[in-house]
Amino acid sequence: MDMNKLPLQTRVQILTMLCEGSSMRSISRITGVSINTVTKLLVDAGRACAEFHDEAVRNVKAQRVQCDEIWSFCYAKAGHVISAKAAPQGAGDVWTWTAIDADSKLIISWLVGPRIKRAAHAFMYDLSTRLGSSPVQITTDGLRAYADAVWENFGESVDYGQLVKLYGPAPEGQRRYSPPECLGAVKTPMFGNPDTDFISTSFVERQNLTMRMQMRRFTRLTNAFSKKFENHCHALALYFMFYNWIRIHKTLRVTPAMAAGLTDKLMDWSDVVAMVDNREFQAKVLQAENPQLISR
């Protein structure tokens, strides 16, 4: 079915279900459209949402920012990629780095990639370009790559602390599926003058739990994992659009984007559909003006 012929209501339904934990094949069955149509809408909407986030989430007046990483994988876990049949580019463990404003609960920055020093630097650079000029305190976990990345991108302009959790052995007989017991946490000021009362990662960890519970691709011990790295990124862009701009936060009673002062409008999925259509229209105009170019 041609995407342009899909009714607005159907496209809104597909996007809603993509962010409510439904699998792509169940969406295809329920809406009566092909799996290829569902995939195309995911890709188009993901690209539009990523571009919107890049343009709209700027000059955020945050005072306390919490950062964390959440694990998932594409196609196969890292240890099984070598033996996997026809593993595509990007197969293996995938980490999603997130930075949240502790007050507005806005996801300021996110990055998908490996859990390495280079990714930490790219993540912190992106975060630094989105914050306003007001003083900010940043808290991360104890990952060693964070300290250098924060210093090189913020320097003395930031108060930075780490929350290092101490873990004991995993429960006997459950080492494969149950996490080890958390015995406590150590608050460590790194540089600047961080307030130890606010050295915390509670909000970002709770948001990561929401991701794991709500996004089908993050569900553990199922076959719902992403099969393509690109589609994994598109699904995340769609989710962060939903989280920041569409879903009303139960405590704040507004969306995080509204709480952060980025907008006074409550957006819905029809706005995302309009963004997809506008992006497609602009691509066609550019293609008409420059026939030698291949539209993205």
Side-chain angles (χ1 to χ4, degrees):
M1 184 179 293
D2 186 354
M3 182 63 62
N4 293 329
K5 296 180 180 179
L6 270 184
L8 172 63
Q9 183 178 359
T10 302
R11 289 194 280 176
V12 167
Q13 182 183 11
I14 292 172
L15 293 174
T16 301
M17 295 179 70
L18 284 171
C19 281
E20 291 291 348
S22 299
S23 69
M24 295 178 67
R25 293 197 178 277
S26 69
I27 295 172
S28 173
R29 291 191 298 269
I30 292 171
T31 59
V33 303
S34 71
I35 185 67
N36 290 338
T37 300
V38 176
T39 302
K40 184 179 187 305
L41 182 56
L42 169 66
V43 172
D44 291 344
R47 288 172 175 168
C49 290
E51 291 175 1
F52 179 81
H53 179 96
D54 189 52
E55 295 173 2
V57 183
R58 296 287 177 180
N59 196 32
V60 178
K61 296 176 177 60
Q63 295 180 326
R64 296 178 293 135
V65 175
Q66 300 178 7
C67 304
D68 197 20
E69 328 84 55
I70 180 172
W71 173 85
S72 58
F73 68 94
C74 288
Y75 195 80
K77 296 178 182 178
H80 299 157
V81 171
I82 295 178
S83 60
K85 183 178 180 180
Q89 184 73 23
D93 292 353
V94 176
W95 292 83
T96 303
W97 305 65
T98 54
I100 192 172
D101 176 7
D103 295 309
S104 69
K105 309 303 184 292
L106 179 81
I107 296 296
I108 305 171
S109 178
W110 58 277
L111 180 142
V112 184
R115 196 169 183 251
I116 60 175
K117 182 176 181 179
R118 185 175 60 195
H121 279 261
F123 175 56
M124 281 298 160
Y125 171 76
D126 184 73
L127 176 61
S128 70
T129 66
R130 300 185 185 281
L131 293 174
S133 57
S134 58
V136 62
Q137 176 169 321
I138 295 178
T139 302
T140 71
D141 58 25
L143 183 65
R144 295 182 62 181
Y146 272 127
D148 288 342
V150 173
W151 176 258
E152 291 190 12
N153 288 287
F154 290 94
E156 298 178 351
S157 65
V158 72
D159 300 319
Y160 173 51
Q162 288 187 346
L163 185 75
V164 181
K165 293 187 176 181
L166 307 176
Y167 292 97
E172 188 64 30
Q174 302 181 32
R175 296 178 181 176
R176 183 174 181 182
Y177 302 117
S178 297
E181 180 183 1
C182 181
L183 303 178
V186 177
K187 297 181 178 182
T188 307
M190 300 299 290
F191 48 81
N193 187 31
D195 187 336
T196 55
D197 290 340
F198 296 124
I199 295 180
S200 170
T201 55
S202 297
F203 293 123
V204 69
E205 288 180 1
R206 182 60 183 84
Q207 192 286 137
N208 283 348
L209 175 61
T210 300
M211 284 177 58
R212 192 169 294 285
M213 294 175 64
Q214 190 151 356
M215 293 190 69
R216 186 70 173 156
R217 295 165 186 268
F218 282 76
T219 305
R220 296 182 184 272
L221 304 178
T222 72
N223 63 352
F225 54 87
S226 295
K227 311 308 186 294
K228 294 182 179 180
F229 179 80
E230 294 80 5
N231 288 351
H232 188 80
C233 296
H234 296 321
L236 281 164
L238 196 64
Y239 168 79
F240 289 125
M241 180 75 193
F242 171 63
Y243 177 87
N244 279 340
W245 302 86
I246 298 175
R247 176 178 176 268
I248 294 178
H249 193 282
K250 289 185 177 180
T251 302
L252 301 174
R253 299 190 182 279
V254 292
T255 64
M258 296 170 71
L262 298 181
T263 182
D264 56 3
K265 175 189 176 183
L266 177 63
M267 298 183 69
D268 57 35
W269 286 118
S270 63
D271 294 306
V272 177
V273 173
M275 289 163 45
V276 172
D277 290 342
N278 181 64
R279 187 178 185 277
E280 184 175 342
F281 174 77
Q282 295 296 334
K284 288 181 178 179
V285 171
L286 181 63
Q287 187 75 23
E289 294 176 350
N290 304 274
Q292 72 277 13
L293 296 179
I294 300 176
S295 61
R296 292 176 58 190

